[in-house]
Amino acid sequence: MRKTFTLILVVVMSLTLVLAGCSSGNGNAGSSNQNQAPASTPDAEGATNQTNEQAEAPKETVTLKWGTWMGEEEAKQIIEAFEATHPHIKIETDPAVTWPWNEKLAAVAAAGQLPDVTWTFGVPVAAANGWLEDLAPYLAADPDFQAGNTFKNLDDTANYNGKQYALPHTLLMFGVFLNLDLFEKENIPVPPANWTVDDMREAAVALTKYNDNQFGMANLKGMRETLSSAFDPSLGWNTWDGEKFNFTSPAFKEAVTYIDELLYSDKVSLDIYKQEEKEQWYGKDKNPWMLGKIGMQYDGTWLINGSIQDAKFKWDIRPLPGDDGQRIPLITDYVGITKSSQHKEEAFEFVKWLTYSKEGWMERMKPEWPLGTIPLINDEEVWNAYLGREDMPAGMQDLIAMIPEGFADPIKWLPGYIDGLGIYHETFKQIDERQAKLEDVAPDLEKRMNDAYKTALDQLNAVQ
């Protein structure tokens, strides 16, 4: 299996150009045929007319079923935009595929009713069950993919032993959101993109004002899964290095110690307080970040839309701070073609539009589209459209530059990781409740998660 690197993208190639291109191709074919036979010959004229009729004949209309958890309105946007440039392909969402996703996919597969194109919550599960078509032959024959404008580190996450079972259709990332007004109020310099863990700690301490219920950080515990990369850039999500987990590594110990000191010694994070205390300070169902009470919040880029709409203060975003290195945590969702589809060529056209088609991304980058994903192709025009959106935080440009060296959350692509997460959360519950020390449980955590990976990988390899 190769190592690795939730909707949104902008301006569709104009339908006029597409039609013009098709018209030009057909016209040349007709012209060529006419030049080969004298116009005065009846048989030649008949052959020419027949050739033109065949060239102009519309393609047979094909209807594809699409398994997606996208909201109804957003899915409608996707379908209408795709069908506008692919009039012979009709898309219908499949209501039978819903949550719990893998269970429902298994049910429709058993009934022989898999959709033609489906999102998958776990590529290894779908691949091991024989639900997904290998996309490699289609990609090898497509010049647009071969041009190399996708992010290989992300494509490779869904490639097992040379078989490309799916492609990323959505990209999100984690970063540190900054309340710039609080930085100004407390006279703290706003950190640059290449800031360090020491910079973050100093800012978090200076931003914390207990009497004002103002905290320097929030969501700090979630950073345990990704901050090891700052101390050892060879490590990705939860210490995964491309072959195994490394919970006994010095970098993981250093990351956990750093976070625990911020939590329990410096007490700069809202994470350690009870829900009733938070409600007493901010009100029931209130978001402290949106209220302007958090200096820095570790969160996903899904917070951008909410902050644009609800935050009444200036804010920006930064990548994870560094120490010995600096990498960005990424989140990917996947789409594939089912083996049972009777219309694989058309299904591939839809998958391409969702994943690496510039036409598709330019459509989804239009201002009226929801900001649900970061583009998945490295194209200057697409990036200009994305970064040029109103209220896009300036810091996103720095995070985007880090995508090629970033690391993806394994939950949807790494064999056995979903089972391993149960082990991980169980272990850290014991650590947080002071029932265990990291150094005592790290070897067992590492072994059990690596065993879960190996077992799932063996199952996947057995069916390939």
Side-chain angles (χ1 to χ4, degrees):
M1 184 182 70
R2 299 183 188 173
K3 300 183 182 178
T4 323
F5 158 172
T6 146
L7 281 185
I8 9 194
L9 329 184
V10 203
V11 188
V12 143
M13 285 183 173
S14 100
L15 180 58
T16 304
L17 289 176
V18 174
L19 292 177
C22 294
S23 173
S24 175
N26 292 339
N28 289 338
S31 173
S32 175
N33 288 333
Q34 289 173 353
N35 290 337
Q36 291 173 8
S40 60
T41 305
D43 290 344
E45 287 184 14
T48 299
N49 291 336
Q50 185 177 12
T51 301
N52 286 339
E53 288 174 4
Q54 290 173 345
E56 295 171 3
K59 296 181 181 179
E60 179 184 357
T61 299
V62 167
T63 299
L64 302 177
K65 288 284 190 177
W66 175 28
T68 175
W69 57 72
M70 185 180 283
E72 183 177 349
E73 287 302 314
E74 205 168 352
K76 182 180 178 182
Q77 275 186 306
I78 290 283
I79 292 171
E80 289 179 349
F82 174 77
E83 291 181 349
T85 53
H86 299 76
H88 67 293
I89 305 176
K90 304 302 178 185
I91 309 295
E92 296 179 356
T93 58
D94 190 342
V97 186
T98 183
W99 296 100
W101 201 260
N102 289 335
E103 286 84 343
K104 289 300 177 68
L105 271 180
V108 295
Q113 297 178 344
L114 278 168
D116 299 275
V117 172
T118 186
W119 288 10
T120 171
F121 190 77
V123 181
V125 173
N129 280 283
W131 299 336
L132 296 178
E133 180 80 0
D134 178 15
L135 300 178
Y138 300 89
L139 299 172
D142 188 354
D144 290 341
F145 185 82
Q146 294 304 315
N149 292 330
T150 64
F151 296 105
K152 190 173 186 299
N153 58 323
L154 299 182
D155 294 339
D156 281 356
T157 55
N159 189 300
Y160 308 94
N161 295 326
K163 293 185 177 182
Q164 190 76 45
Y165 285 104
L167 287 172
H169 66 77
T170 297
L171 174 63
L172 302 165
M173 59 176 67
F174 269 94
V176 182
F177 287 76
L178 310 181
N179 182 325
L180 300 180
D181 285 358
L182 286 188
F183 274 82
E184 182 178 1
K185 171 190 167 187
E186 304 300 341
N187 196 28
I188 303 168
V190 176
N194 62 342
W195 63 329
T196 68
V197 291
D198 291 336
D199 295 333
M200 189 173 79
R201 184 171 188 172
E202 291 172 9
V205 171
L207 286 163
T208 301
K209 303 294 179 184
Y210 301 110
N211 292 338
D212 296 334
N213 302 320
Q214 175 181 304
F215 291 90
M217 294 290 299
N219 293 349
L220 194 54
K221 287 185 178 180
M223 204 179 284
R224 286 172 175 161
E225 298 186 22
T226 57
L227 195 61
S228 296
S229 63
F231 300 100
D232 181 351
S234 72
L235 302 181
W237 209 288
N238 259 335
T239 76
W240 177 255
D241 67 2
E243 296 179 354
K244 63 185 185 306
F245 294 101
N246 297 271
F247 293 107
T248 58
S249 69
F252 185 63
K253 171 67 173 176
E254 197 167 359
V256 172
T257 299
Y258 170 84
I259 292 168
D260 282 356
E261 288 175 350
L262 283 171
L263 288 168
Y264 303 113
S265 298
D266 300 328
K267 297 183 178 180
V268 299
S269 180
L270 193 62
D271 299 32
I272 62 174
Y273 295 92
K274 297 178 180 178
Q275 184 61 30
E276 49 265 33
E277 292 178 283
K278 299 175 188 178
E279 291 182 0
Q280 182 179 354
W281 297 336
Y282 309 119
K284 188 175 177 60
D285 299 326
K286 297 295 183 179
N287 186 326
W289 164 258
M290 296 301 177
L291 294 175
K293 289 295 187 177
I294 304 299
M296 298 179 288
Q297 179 152 310
Y298 179 65
D299 218 322
T301 48
W302 48 77
L303 187 62
I304 291 177
N305 269 346
S307 297
I308 289 172
Q309 296 170 11
D310 300 325
K312 308 303 181 186
F313 51 85
K314 292 182 294 182
W315 56 276
D316 205 349
I317 188 171
R318 294 291 182 269
L320 274 181
D323 183 72
D324 190 42
Q326 192 178 20
R327 298 176 67 197
I328 195 76
L330 306 168
I331 300 174
T332 43
D333 286 322
Y334 298 86
V335 61
I337 300 172
T338 59
K339 282 188 175 180
S340 59
S341 173
Q342 298 300 303
H343 308 290
K344 291 187 174 67
E345 293 291 340
E346 292 82 1
F348 177 72
E349 285 299 313
F350 186 45
V351 166
K352 174 180 176 178
W353 199 93
L354 291 170
T355 59
Y356 67 91
S357 161
K358 181 176 179 178
E359 174 190 78
W361 283 108
M362 290 300 290
E363 180 69 20
R364 294 160 74 185
M365 290 297 101
K366 287 181 177 177
E368 63 267 25
W369 283 61
L371 191 63
T373 177
I374 298 163
L376 277 156
I377 60 169
N378 201 10
D379 179 272
E380 183 177 3
E381 188 177 2
V382 173
W383 287 128
N384 287 341
Y386 178 75
L387 293 170
R389 293 174 71 105
E390 185 178 1
D391 296 326
M392 173 65 67
M396 277 299 290
Q397 184 164 350
D398 297 309
L399 275 72
I400 285 169
M402 299 173 70
I403 292 174
E405 301 302 325
F407 54 93
D409 181 356
I411 191 168
K412 300 185 186 84
W413 61 266
L414 186 65
Y417 187 70
I418 292 178
D419 294 331
L421 267 184
I423 301 168
Y424 175 88
H425 290 308
E426 170 193 315
T427 301
F428 268 94
K429 183 175 185 295
Q430 295 175 346
I431 293 173
D432 286 337
E433 293 175 352
R434 298 297 189 260
Q435 297 176 2
K437 294 181 179 180
L438 176 63
E439 54 267 31
D440 295 333
V441 296
D444 181 65
L445 172 63
E446 182 174 286
K447 181 181 184 304
R448 292 172 68 192
M449 287 193 67
N450 280 327
D451 287 347
Y453 162 68
K454 292 173 184 175
T455 299
L457 183 61
D458 288 343
Q459 292 173 347
L460 178 59
N461 289 337
V463 299
Q464 290 199 74

